[in-house]
Amino acid sequence: MVVRLRLSRLGCKNRPFFRVMAADSRSPRDGKHIEVLGYFNPLPGQDGGKRMGLKFDRIKYWLSVGAQASDPVQRLLFRSGLLPPPPMVAMGRKGGERDTRPVDPMTGRYVDAEKTPAISDNKPEEEDNAEDKSP
């Protein structure tokens, strides 16, 4: 039996609310589960933030005994600081080779390598300008 940590949808039409569940991989999305590990409300509240509550000790336990997190749960656990960022690779173009530049998982933008400021000496430029101005 493979245990997965995944989201179970609750709430009304157009008002989703999710529970983070430990469930057998063969059970349906909203079906039988082993344990409720938290909740996630994707709709912003009064303060504009998304609400999330997780039982960190139980999630750590399930991950330690070999449970696999689904992709959405993996992103939630990354945002809460429990897991390292999932590997993301951007597509260069459809059907083409993949772009191997690293992508920031929070923003989806490319991560630039450490940019070192170019050191330029003004002396050669001044010498060139001085040579051009002399007759």
Side-chain angles (χ1 to χ4, degrees):
M1 176 173 92
V2 177
V3 177
R4 304 245 340 157
L5 303 182
R6 62 182 180 202
L7 297 176
S8 176
R9 189 181 194 277
L10 301 169
C12 302
K13 183 179 178 183
N14 296 327
R15 307 269 310 158
F17 181 84
F18 297 96
R19 281 190 181 155
V20 180
M21 304 264 195
D24 182 14
S25 63
R26 296 170 291 185
S27 66
R29 179 191 71 180
D30 299 332
K32 187 177 176 182
H33 61 275
I34 301 170
E35 185 178 359
V36 176
L37 302 173
Y39 66 90
F40 172 64
N41 187 359
L43 298 177
Q46 294 290 341
D47 59 351
K50 297 179 182 179
R51 307 260 183 228
M52 175 173 44
L54 299 171
K55 298 177 185 175
F56 291 114
D57 55 339
R58 295 305 296 165
I59 290 174
K60 287 180 185 177
Y61 165 75
W62 282 109
L63 291 173
S64 70
V65 296
Q68 300 171 352
S70 65
D71 290 339
V73 172
Q74 198 173 17
R75 287 192 298 267
L76 287 177
L77 295 179
F78 162 66
R79 288 184 185 149
S80 65
L82 240 145
L83 286 180
M88 293 180 65
V89 179
M91 289 282 292
R93 59 190 166 104
K94 186 174 179 182
E97 302 232 352
R98 290 189 178 262
D99 192 355
T100 57
R101 292 184 287 181
V103 176
D104 182 23
M106 295 297 275
T107 61
R109 297 183 178 156
Y110 293 116
V111 177
D112 294 332
E114 291 291 327
K115 291 184 179 180
T116 55
I119 301 172
S120 61
D121 295 329
N122 292 336
K123 293 178 183 179
E125 293 176 6
E126 292 173 2
E127 292 173 3
D128 293 337
N129 292 338
E131 291 174 5
D132 295 336
K133 292 180 181 177
S134 1

